[in-house]
Amino acid sequence: SAGYLSTYRTALGLTVDAVLVGVLARYLTESTTLLLAISLSACNALLEGSWSSLPFQAATQFALYASINMPVSSMTGHVTRTTLSSLFSKAVPTRDAGAALAVLDTLNSAVGVIAPLYGSFLSHHFGVGRQPLVSFVHYLVLLGLARVTLCRPGAPKEKVE
């Protein structure tokens, strides 16, 4: 069943990349899109944590997770990655863009290795049942860092057409 979930998540990501990112780019600035995606991720983590407090069978909780939390997580994750990549590429001089994107690719690969290890450590330390709350706190920290970084004096201003 893990293979099916992985395929489902990848298909959701493909759909988000093909449809939603372009629509958001037309109507919102990249900074707004990023802050919105992180905020939705935090809300999704709280929602995920609430399923266990409701009197549902495990199969119903899984169905809720697969039909609500997983699509929202996939959507916000893809929008966040795409927006961060775009902001990153605009923050470097054009002549250095190739090297900068190679560094970004390397960092993304490193995150793909480190994040599961960090998540396992946190799950072991706090317990699997508290994982959504721990994620929520992490999203709030990330949201604060993003706001400070994007709203600091001297930050590049985005053009809104």
Side-chain angles (χ1 to χ4, degrees):
S1 69
Y4 291 123
L5 287 177
S6 178
T7 301
Y8 174 58
R9 189 174 187 86
T10 301
L12 288 170
L14 177 63
T15 304
V16 166
D17 285 343
V19 178
L20 187 63
V21 172
V23 171
L24 289 173
R26 248 181 279 146
Y27 296 106
L28 302 172
T29 65
E30 289 169 323
S31 298
T32 301
T33 302
L34 179 62
L35 296 173
L36 179 63
I38 296 170
S39 298
L40 285 173
S41 293
C43 292
N44 191 47
L46 279 181
L47 182 62
E48 181 183 343
S50 72
W51 299 136
S52 62
S53 65
L54 299 174
F56 296 135
Q57 298 291 331
T60 303
Q61 289 179 4
F62 177 77
L64 289 169
Y65 173 79
S67 63
I68 297 171
N69 297 111
M70 209 169 180
V72 171
S73 176
S74 181
M75 177 198 69
T76 57
H78 278 267
V79 169
T80 299
R81 275 188 296 282
T82 302
T83 306
L84 282 173
S85 294
S86 178
L87 288 168
F88 181 79
S89 66
K90 290 178 181 179
V92 297
T94 305
R95 69 181 181 281
D96 298 330
L101 290 174
V103 168
L104 180 62
D105 226 15
T106 302
L107 290 173
N108 281 332
S109 294
V111 166
V113 172
I114 294 168
L117 294 172
Y118 180 63
S120 294
F121 168 79
L122 291 175
S123 291
H124 178 73
H125 186 70
F126 293 107
V128 175
R130 291 199 177 126
Q131 182 272 334
L133 180 59
V134 172
S135 292
F136 173 73
V137 171
H138 280 83
Y139 285 123
L140 289 183
V141 170
L142 183 59
L143 183 62
L145 290 172
R147 277 199 56 90
V148 166
T149 302
L150 295 171
C151 301
R152 76 188 191 303
K157 299 295 179 197
E158 297 177 58
K159 293 180 184 174
V160 179
E161 298 176 15

